[in-house]
């Protein structure tokens, strides 16, 4: 029996560069309130959100990804041709095949990089980061680009009082490459499929396309609604606050550090009340910088963690070499948490 030659990769992997792109249009709560019976005070108190960015026709999933990725590649100080893998996490690219990652890899000028999409909702960036780490250590790529990108404005029901104010658009990207020391900790990830109905698409594509139109939801004017994201807000809130704090704590433990060792906490930017509750449950010290990009960017699902990371570094609230806990959680229900060294 022939013996397979072992792979030769880097001893460890790390994030080398980060980039983000937010659409040019900024949408305040007042615009959202034109379609729902609520108030600016209610939206802010329930979510912390003041504004969000919505993409125009030119700001496609691919276009936003290319912009964010170009910044990340430049930040990492490498050339596009050195990228050996492109991983894109998104739930809002409407063309199911081919993977949008292949288009992005080509437009960036990579040299025929492996490219694929993943669908892991708001935990997608953590899933992609874990896969990229494995590729670097296994030796199948020298550098891997991980992108979280969403156009959730396309999947938002403007008349759904529970979700109309939550979602925004944008893209965040990181370059993962070799490291001589550990800089991406073990990932604590998983899924709870028995709770999958708590966050879901209202109508499957096949029913929307060819189903009984009389059974499809309609808006206040009687028009058939486009499929949108809906959720059971209280159930999601309880799960995120109580269960995800446990996952975050486990990620700290497997990385061998305590909350006191952290410099930065970058949770998925779903809701500021969830963020505040997790900070309290984890008993994070006051010196830990907490990402609150949700206030002006909204919930951008897979893009939220890299966008928040990019903003913290750009504003100086976090610095290169800081130790950060990142955790994403959402539809599925899925989750992923790990400790990283910031680029």
């Amino acid at each position: 029996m022939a013996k397979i030659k072992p792979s030769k990769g880097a001893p460890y992997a790390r994030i080398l560069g980060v980039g983000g792109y937010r659409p040019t249009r900024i949408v305040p709560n007042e615009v959202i309130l034109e379609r729902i019976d609520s108030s600016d005070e209610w939206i802010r108190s329930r979510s912390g959100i003041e504004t969000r960015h919505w993409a125009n026709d030119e700001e496609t999933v691919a276009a936003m990804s290319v912009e964010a990725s170009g910044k990340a590649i430049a930040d990492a100080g490498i050339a596009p041709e050195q990228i050996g893998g492109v991983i894109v996490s998104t739930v809002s690219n409407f063309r199911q095949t081919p993977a949008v990652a292949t288009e992005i890899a080509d437009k960036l000028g990579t040299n025929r990089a492996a490219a694929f999409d993943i669908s892991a909702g708001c935990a997608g960036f953590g899933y992609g980061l874990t896969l990229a780490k494995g590729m670097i250590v296994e030796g199948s790529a020298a550098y891997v680009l991980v992108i979280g990108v969403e156009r959730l404005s396309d999947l938002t029901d403007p008349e759904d009082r529970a979700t109309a104010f939550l979602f925004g658009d944008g893209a965040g990207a990181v370059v993962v490459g070799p490291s001589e020391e550990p800089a991406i900790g073990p990932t604590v990830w998983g899924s709870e499929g028995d709770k999958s109905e708590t966050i879901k698409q209202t109508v499957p594509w096949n029913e929307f396309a060819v189903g009984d139109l009389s059974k499809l939801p309609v808006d206040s004017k009687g028009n058939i609604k486009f499929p949108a994201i809906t959720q059971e807000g209280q159930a999601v809130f309880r799960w995120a606050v109580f269960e995800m704090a446990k996952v975050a704590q486990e990620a700290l433990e497997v990385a061998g550090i305590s909350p006191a060792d952290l410099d930065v906490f970058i949770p998925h930017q779903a809701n500021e009340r969830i963020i505040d509750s997790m900070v309290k449950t984890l008993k994070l010290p006051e010196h830990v910088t907490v990402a609150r990009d949700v206030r002006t960017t909204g919930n951008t699902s897979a893009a939220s963690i890299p966008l928040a990371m990019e903003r913290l570094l750009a504003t100086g609230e976090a610095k290169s070499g800081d130790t950060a806990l990142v955790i994403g959680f959402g539809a599925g229900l899925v989750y992923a948490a790990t400790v990283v060294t910031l680029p």
Side-chain angles (χ1 to χ4, degrees):
M1 181 182 293
K3 291 185 177 181
I4 297 174
K5 184 178 180 181
S7 301
K8 291 184 178 180
Y12 305 104
R14 68 183 303 121
I15 299 174
L16 299 174
V18 60
Y21 180 83
R22 293 171 175 80
T24 55
R25 183 188 177 194
I26 299 174
V27 180
N29 289 337
E30 287 73 16
V31 172
I32 306 300
L33 294 171
E34 294 173 2
R35 302 288 296 276
I36 61 172
D37 180 18
S38 187
S39 68
D40 179 62
E41 179 185 8
W42 187 87
I43 292 174
R44 292 182 188 231
S45 65
R46 299 286 292 182
S47 67
I49 298 172
E50 303 167 9
T51 62
R52 72 284 292 148
H53 295 253
W54 283 357
N56 60 34
D57 291 344
E58 287 73 40
E59 292 167 321
T60 64
V61 166
M64 292 191 293
S65 297
V66 169
E67 289 291 330
S69 299
K71 295 175 184 177
I73 292 170
D75 191 42
I78 65 170
E81 308 88 69
Q82 295 175 271
I83 297 290
V86 177
I87 303 171
V88 177
S89 177
T90 185
V91 299
S92 50
N93 182 53
F94 290 158
R95 178 173 291 182
Q96 190 164 352
T97 191
V100 72
T102 59
E103 177 185 350
I104 295 165
D106 178 64
K107 289 184 175 179
L108 286 170
T110 66
N111 184 19
R112 300 170 65 184
F116 57 95
D117 299 349
I118 59 175
S119 176
C122 307
F125 175 75
Y127 275 50
L129 188 64
T130 303
L131 294 173
K133 172 187 173 182
M135 293 166 70
I136 299 301
V137 175
E138 188 268 343
S140 61
Y143 299 94
V144 179
L145 187 65
V146 180
I147 304 165
V149 56
E150 302 291 2
R151 274 182 56 118
L152 294 180
S153 58
D154 293 334
L155 289 171
T156 297
D157 178 354
E159 296 183 347
D160 181 356
R161 190 171 184 270
T163 60
F165 59 91
L166 286 175
F167 302 121
D169 304 335
V174 299
V175 172
V176 180
S179 175
E180 292 299 318
E181 58 185 29
I184 301 176
T187 301
V188 178
W189 56 352
S191 65
E192 297 186 35
D194 59 314
K195 301 180 181 66
S196 61
E197 291 294 299
T198 56
I199 306 175
K200 63 180 182 180
Q201 184 172 311
T202 52
V203 182
W205 294 116
N206 61 325
E207 290 186 17
F208 178 78
V210 298
D212 183 352
L213 299 185
S214 66
K215 296 181 180 180
L216 296 177
V218 296
D219 63 20
S220 58
K221 297 181 180 179
N223 299 314
I224 294 174
K225 289 184 177 182
F226 192 73
I229 297 173
T230 187
Q231 68 176 26
E232 298 174 16
Q234 286 302 314
V236 173
F237 181 88
R238 289 193 297 270
W239 175 77
V241 168
F242 296 108
E243 297 302 320
M244 291 305 98
K246 298 176 186 176
V247 171
Q249 182 62 51
E250 187 178 350
L252 291 174
E253 292 172 359
V254 297
I257 67 173
S258 70
D261 298 317
L262 280 179
D263 300 303
V264 186
F265 179 43
I266 312 178
H268 164 48
Q269 302 293 291
N271 180 307
E272 193 165 35
R273 289 174 62 209
I274 293 175
I275 295 171
D276 288 339
S277 295
M278 292 184 70
V279 169
K280 183 178 180 179
T281 302
L282 290 169
K283 298 179 181 179
L284 295 184
E286 290 187 5
H287 75 264
V288 176
T289 297
V290 180
R292 299 183 184 279
D293 194 44
V294 66
R295 293 174 178 171
T296 56
T297 306
N299 179 344
T300 56
S301 189
S304 78
I305 290 175
L307 278 174
M309 183 184 295
E310 183 263 349
R311 174 158 283 172
L312 289 175
L313 290 167
T315 59
E317 296 173 82
K319 63 183 184 299
S320 174
D322 277 354
T323 300
L325 169 63
V326 299
I327 178 169
F329 44 86
L333 295 170
V334 295
Y335 55 88
T338 189
V339 174
V340 303
T341 301
L342 295 183

